[in-house]
Amino acid sequence: MKGKIIILSAPSGTGKSTVIGRLMQIPALRLGFSISATSRKPRGNEQDGREYYFISDEEFRRRVAEGDFVEYEEVYAGTHYGTLKSEVERVTDSGMNLIMDIDVKGGVNVKDIYGDRALSVFLSPPSLEVLERRLRGRATDSEDTIRKRLDKAEYEIGFASRFDLCVVNDDLEETVGKVASAISGFIAE
Ligand code: ADP
Ligand code: 5GP
């Protein structure tokens, strides 16, 4: 049987990657990460084909035209991110459950596309102050990038009610526990 789809969305810096990293260490959840394509440059020690498929703007546009994406968004001005159809198939055809780190609009779109086959989870920062601290603490983005991400956060938090589940990522262990138990219940359905 094909695997299910788990969507995790949140303002940048809330903790999606951290939480996904922890969830993927739980074998019973059988999670495979959806590697998105992006036109942004690698950050820190990110590797092509691990965190993202890093492609040029031109290649991104070409692949959109060829119909290779399930969905894509210009998440930040001039920077595109998208989920490849081939990626969804690669993971779910093997019976693994696909976990996606995706922006709020993409999260809502993917839930609309897959319906009951998808569980959508919104992670919320405890406050905008904490979010700013986390973005700065990550020390991977320029001041300009941090400002753009903070400016967008309030708008993104407005999407929370359109998700199946909303979890405030305050204490990391509690967050991982809550999301893991929701996924566990969902994949057993
Ligand atoms: P995202 O993937 O949503 O952009 P990250 O997973 O990169 O966010 O997390 C941003 C920063 O916040 C990282 O430095 C991470 O270690 C930290 N972080 C994540 N979750 C928590 C938490 N519950 N408490 C404190 N710091 C956290
Ligand atoms: P970052 O640059 O911090 O890795 O990611 C920026 C934003 O893009 C995050 O909100 C992340 O969830 C989102 N994102 C990553 N991949 C995709 C994707 O395939 N589709 C969409 N719509 N958003 C994505």
Side-chain angles (χ1 to χ4, degrees):
M1 205 183 84
K2 281 197 171 193
K4 292 191 172 177
I5 291 169
I6 313 298
I7 299 159
L8 209 68
S9 296
S12 180
T14 303
K16 290 180 301 291
S17 319
T18 307
V19 170
I20 289 176
R22 291 285 306 271
L23 293 170
M24 291 196 54
Q25 288 169 20
I26 306 173
L29 300 181
R30 297 175 53 76
L31 294 174
F33 183 60
S34 171
I35 304 168
S36 297
T38 181
S39 63
R40 86 152 160 75
K41 300 274 177 289
R43 180 171 77 197
N45 59 3
E46 287 177 336
Q47 279 174 27
D48 185 47
R50 190 177 65 184
E51 285 83 5
Y52 285 106
Y53 299 113
F54 294 100
I55 61 178
S56 64
D57 275 327
E58 191 189 2
E59 186 177 351
F60 205 102
R61 275 195 296 272
R62 180 179 60 75
R63 299 198 67 173
V64 168
E66 287 173 0
D68 288 354
F69 288 102
V70 174
E71 64 76 41
Y72 68 94
E73 296 286 338
E74 185 173 2
V75 180
Y76 302 105
T79 310
H80 289 84
Y81 298 80
T83 307
L84 293 162
K85 289 179 182 166
S86 55
E87 195 59 19
V88 177
E89 284 157 13
R90 177 182 71 81
V91 175
T92 62
D93 283 0
S94 66
M96 298 280 282
N97 302 301
L98 182 80
I99 188 155
M100 303 170 85
D101 174 335
I102 183 170
D103 90 304
V104 294
K105 277 199 204 161
V108 169
N109 286 340
V110 171
K111 173 69 188 180
D112 281 349
I113 294 168
Y114 291 99
D116 289 346
R117 201 179 146 202
L119 173 73
S120 64
V121 180
F122 187 90
L123 273 194
S124 173
S127 67
L128 290 174
E129 290 71 31
V130 171
L131 181 66
E132 180 164 359
R133 240 182 284 142
R134 286 186 190 166
L135 277 170
R136 294 193 189 288
R138 190 165 68 179
T140 48
D141 300 294
S142 67
E143 183 57 31
D144 180 51
T145 301
I146 291 174
R147 278 262 69 87
K148 276 192 198 152
R149 288 172 184 230
L150 283 171
D151 286 348
K152 207 173 173 195
E154 241 169 312
Y155 162 79
E156 292 174 317
I157 290 169
F159 280 74
S161 63
R162 296 170 68 180
F163 283 71
D164 295 327
L165 173 71
C166 179
V167 176
V168 178
N169 182 24
D170 193 351
D171 178 82
L172 181 63
E173 301 307 319
E174 263 179 45
T175 302
V176 171
K178 281 182 193 164
V179 180
S181 100
I183 296 174
S184 182
F186 177 68
I187 60 179
E189 277 173 15

